[in-house]
Amino acid sequence: MSKIILKRMVQLIPVLFIVVSIVFAITRLMPGNPAMIILGPQAPREAVEKMTLEMGLDKSIPEQFGKYLLGVLRGDFGKSYRYNRPVLTILLEKLPNTIYLAGASILIALLVGIPVGIVSACRQYSIFDYASMLAALVGVSMPPFWLGLMLVLVFSVRLGWLPSIGMGSFGNGIGDVLSHLVMPAFCLSTGSMANFARVTRASMLDVIHQDYIKAVRAKGIGERTVIFKHALKNALPPVVTVIGMRFSFLMGGAILVESIFSWPGMGRLIVEAIGNKDYAVIQGSVLLMAFIYVLINLIVDIAYTYLNPKITYETERGAR
Amino acid sequence: MTWKMSKISKMSKMSGALTPGGEREGDLSGAAQQAMILRERAANSVWRKLCRNKSAFAGFVIVAVVVFTAILGPSLVGKDPNKMNFVNMYAKPGERGMILGGDEFGRDLFARVVYGARISILVSVGGMAIGAVVGVLLGLISGFEGGMLDSFLMRVMDGMFAFPFILLALLLLTTLGEGIQNVILAIGIANVPGYARIVRGQVLFVKNEEYIKSVAALGASSVRLIFAHILPNVFSQVIVYATLNVAGAILTEASLSFLGMGITPPTASWGGILKSGQDCLQTAPHLALYSGLAILLTVLGFNLLGDGIRDVLDPKMKT
């Protein structure tokens, strides 16, 4: 097991290097002189030249990349010209808000998606199965930003039940926090919910038609035990993989959902940074999102290995 | 199928020879067999299977309507989607001769939604095509060559995969600048890793098949092996992925336009209309409602069709 984890971690190094390279290349190719953008179009030429030297933009591209890479390794993502603060400080302020929103979304998606998938598989070709799979397909196809607007229209504008912007404060009670969280979290969770339901159903169907499940049933063991003790455990690994993959979608979805609900997280920060051409913030936040995604996938890989004893056994046997 | 037909034809000739009725009867039996094979072949064609699959057929109808609207709709509507008339500002659906009402500049929303279909289909199909061509080529080369080249290409693809799709498209668009061709290019580039990974995985499997080894032993060049023998065998996976990918590309285009980064006004795009709908949600909710429904229905159509094609071409993957 530890060998597998170590191997996966070593494999991450080139991926992370490429992620840093892509972010560096894209931001260097963005139009406009960063020094000019910081100082404004009316800035005197001397000031722009001085800023260019200070930022190291006069150096060769490999030199700039080396400096940037060292900075990233030290956790130095530069300074935001708009906020006049270190990018890392801003990111550490916004990241928990996005994790909080994404975590709530994943939780809703898991709590709804997996049970729906299990029931659909157990009652294959029933009305529930058809209805839930159609709903899942609609959920996958629904643009989250449209759903967000429709939720705001109904629950904020028409009914006035829920606040449409911000994330509330614990100082105003848990009700305030939850009322701010419901719409963005639900909006962000629909795609994942639908995806989990579809994958769980497919995986469960695959398992419950296997001989060992028939054998367990033939022993006269109750259906509930068959499903939850024998089938679900073996149907879970593909679902776990999808959870990891969905995290990327959630991060992407957060960009849109946070913009609609004015949620003070990473997604909104990126959109604002792109609008303001705050390159240091763009670089830092994109890198952080990519790192988180890679990390989540590593955790998923490890969880998958843990859940699927076949992998561990084969690897250990191969290692001997 | 040709092999199957010739085999069955041989079998039918054999059965004809054994028939006591002589050669003529044997020929008739062969003709009947041939007709039966053709009937079977027609019944098992991908198209027939798709038609039998109800959800796939529903998806096909939706996609056909949207594509028809995208191609012919603007000329049938007969209204300029960019013509402003402030008298019609925020007109409700059905008012002043406007089926879906008017927007913030009094432009006809129905005309804009119809024109938006053209933009959506153009961008999504264009983005899919760029991603497919480049991704399939990279996947073929990577899977076939293996070694260092494969490792390098796949690590680059892994790196690209580490970015949320919309974020990668957003970044590329920021670099390339606004405009329809750049939106297509950005979505296309962001699509590449998906195709490359799928094709590479398939190539790794197919290239070790006996028939590929036999063709290689007969002296076929690498190019011929890749394009004449491996590519046709990975194509079904690519078609399934491409159909589902168009749905994703429509959502991405709409998302980019919604964020104000995609199609620039006054060009009509579904995401752009939704963005203006957000600003006047209280006074004119129809703006957000109809453009969003258009996106939902189109994406649903492509998803239904993609799921159907997958079920037909690769029943093992059925969900």
Side-chain angles (χ1 to χ4, degrees):
Chain A
M1 185 75 167
S2 54
K3 274 184 184 171
I4 296 170
I5 296 170
L6 197 69
K7 196 181 162 194
R8 294 271 196 277
M9 289 181 87
V10 171
Q11 281 172 348
L12 283 187
I13 296 168
V15 175
L16 290 175
F17 178 77
I18 285 164
V19 166
V20 176
S21 311
I22 291 172
V23 172
F24 176 80
I26 287 179
T27 41
R28 281 297 173 275
L29 287 169
M30 280 178 182
N33 179 356
M36 179 92 87
I37 290 165
I38 293 170
L39 295 169
Q42 308 298 326
R45 204 176 148 192
E46 295 75 31
V48 174
E49 279 172 5
K50 196 181 163 205
M51 178 66 89
T52 306
L53 286 173
E54 274 175 21
M55 291 173 79
L57 296 170
D58 58 319
K59 296 198 169 68
S60 67
I61 293 291
E63 268 183 285
Q64 285 185 43
F65 181 63
K67 193 185 163 200
Y68 173 69
L69 196 63
L70 280 174
V72 169
L73 288 173
R74 286 198 304 261
D76 176 14
F77 293 97
K79 199 174 167 186
S80 160
Y81 86 91
R82 189 169 171 81
Y83 298 99
N84 201 24
R85 291 163 67 202
V87 172
L88 190 64
T89 315
I90 301 169
L91 295 180
L92 292 177
E93 264 175 31
K94 306 284 181 185
L95 183 64
N97 299 341
T98 297
I99 290 178
Y100 167 54
L101 178 63
S105 310
I106 281 274
L107 195 68
I108 296 172
L110 287 172
L111 288 176
V112 178
I114 292 183
V116 167
I118 295 170
V119 177
S120 284
C122 295
R123 296 182 186 172
Q124 196 185 8
Y125 304 129
S126 67
I127 293 172
F128 179 86
D129 183 27
Y130 285 123
S132 57
M133 284 307 110
L134 181 66
L137 200 64
V138 173
V140 169
S141 311
M142 193 163 329
F145 45 96
W146 180 66
L147 178 66
L149 289 182
M150 292 300 108
L151 290 174
V152 169
L153 179 66
V154 175
F155 294 103
S156 301
V157 177
R158 293 281 150 91
L159 300 171
W161 289 354
L162 296 167
S164 62
I165 53 165
M167 60 179 286
S169 158
F170 278 102
N172 299 331
I174 189 81
D176 184 52
V177 176
L178 287 177
S179 65
H180 280 88
L181 179 67
V182 172
M183 285 200 293
F186 178 75
C187 182
L188 195 55
S189 71
T190 46
S192 308
M193 202 188 289
N195 201 250
F196 294 160
R198 279 158 67 96
V199 173
T200 307
R201 178 184 178 271
S203 185
M204 279 294 286
L205 281 176
D206 198 31
V207 170
I208 57 181
H209 287 123
Q210 285 188 15
D211 287 343
Y212 72 91
I213 294 291
K214 286 176 190 163
V216 174
R217 279 192 176 131
K219 279 183 176 175
I221 292 170
E223 190 62 19
R224 204 166 280 197
T225 315
V226 172
I227 296 299
F228 290 101
K229 199 176 169 193
H230 299 279
L232 188 60
K233 199 184 166 191
N234 289 297
L236 270 182
V239 183
V240 171
T241 313
V242 174
I243 295 171
M245 285 163 70
R246 282 311 297 186
F247 198 81
S248 172
F249 284 88
L250 281 182
M251 285 298 204
I255 294 172
L256 296 155
V257 173
E258 287 180 4
S259 299
I260 293 168
F261 294 98
S262 299
W263 190 269
M266 295 275 294
R268 196 168 153 225
L269 180 73
I270 290 176
V271 174
E272 282 176 359
I274 287 174
N276 298 325
K277 294 195 177 357
D278 195 344
Y279 291 143
V281 174
I282 298 174
Q283 273 182 341
S285 45
V286 170
L287 258 185
L288 192 62
M289 270 203 178
F291 281 178
I292 291 170
Y293 175 72
V294 171
L295 193 71
I296 295 271
N297 269 286
L298 175 73
I299 296 167
V300 167
D301 268 1
I302 294 166
Y304 190 86
T305 316
Y306 177 75
L307 281 169
N308 195 349
K310 224 168 148 186
I311 294 175
T312 320
Y313 173 68
E314 280 169 4
T315 317
E316 277 177 2
R317 194 173 52 178
R320 268 173 208 161
Chain B
M1 185 57 85
T2 320
W3 172 85
K4 196 177 168 186
M5 277 182 68
S6 62
K7 193 181 172 189
I8 296 172
S9 170
K10 274 179 196 168
M11 283 169 69
S12 67
K13 276 180 187 166
M14 278 170 69
S15 69
L18 293 169
T19 309
E23 203 182 321
R24 196 172 167 76
E25 243 185 78
D27 281 352
L28 275 173
S29 167
Q33 287 273 18
Q34 201 80 331
M36 195 189 78
I37 291 161
L38 286 172
R39 273 201 303 275
E40 191 186 323
R41 194 175 164 187
N44 287 327
S45 70
V46 172
W47 171 244
R48 281 290 181 95
K49 280 183 183 172
L50 269 180
C51 289
R52 279 202 295 267
N53 185 325
K54 282 177 194 164
S55 57
F57 187 70
F60 174 77
V61 171
I62 295 171
V63 169
V65 169
V66 175
V67 172
F68 178 79
T69 309
I71 297 168
L72 292 176
S75 50
L76 295 176
V77 170
K79 280 183 182 173
D80 183 356
N82 297 329
K83 194 184 172 190
M84 297 184 198
N85 184 352
F86 288 96
V87 178
N88 296 332
M89 223 165 79
Y90 298 129
K92 290 197 169 69
E95 275 182 9
R96 299 193 186 103
M98 291 193 283
I99 304 169
L100 299 182
D103 70 359
E104 73 271 33
F105 297 110
R107 294 173 297 196
D108 189 283
L109 185 60
F110 181 65
R112 288 186 71 72
V113 170
V114 168
Y115 271 83
R118 179 176 281 189
I119 297 291
S120 239
I121 294 294
L122 181 70
V123 171
S124 54
V125 172
M128 178 272 289
I130 291 174
V133 170
V134 180
V136 168
L137 273 176
L138 288 178
L140 284 170
I141 295 166
S142 185
F144 188 78
E145 291 294 327
M148 290 286 283
L149 183 68
D150 177 38
S151 296
F152 173 72
L153 285 174
M154 283 306 112
R155 290 301 80 76
V156 173
M157 297 300 126
D158 285 348
M160 286 175 80
F161 251 127
F163 300 93
F165 188 86
I166 177 81
L167 185 59
L168 187 58
L170 198 63
L171 276 179
L172 289 166
L173 201 57
T174 312
T175 308
L176 295 167
E178 290 169 344
I180 190 163
Q181 68 276 23
N182 288 341
V183 178
I184 295 173
L185 196 59
I187 293 176
I189 296 171
N191 271 334
V192 168
Y195 286 96
R197 264 195 184 180
I198 286 178
V199 171
R200 178 198 173 253
Q202 286 292 305
V203 172
L204 286 179
F205 175 73
V206 171
K207 78 172 184 182
N208 290 319
E209 293 278 312
E210 288 298 323
Y211 63 91
I212 297 291
K213 285 180 180 168
S214 310
V215 180
L218 287 170
S221 67
S222 296
V223 175
R224 188 171 169 76
L225 268 177
I226 291 175
F227 290 101
H229 300 283
I230 295 177
L231 182 60
N233 284 293
V234 301
F235 214 66
S236 61
Q237 292 270 345
V238 175
I239 288 179
V240 173
Y241 187 75
T243 316
L244 294 168
N245 187 228
V246 173
I250 290 172
L251 280 177
T252 308
E253 182 275 314
S255 308
L256 292 171
S257 300
F258 182 75
L259 291 171
M261 295 291 299
I263 308 296
T264 43
T267 308
S269 73
W270 289 341
I273 301 170
L274 251 175
K275 186 175 165 54
S276 18
Q278 184 189 15
D279 301 334
C280 52
L281 204 56
Q282 207 155 359
T283 47
H286 60 275
L287 282 182
L289 181 70
Y290 294 120
S291 51
L293 276 177
I295 300 170
L296 172 63
L297 206 65
T298 310
V299 175
L300 184 67
F302 276 103
N303 277 336
L304 282 168
L305 185 63
D307 276 2
I309 294 175
R310 184 187 52 207
D311 293 350
V312 169
L313 294 178
D314 189 2
K316 274 188 233 164
M317 293 287 290
K318 197 171 180 172
T319 50

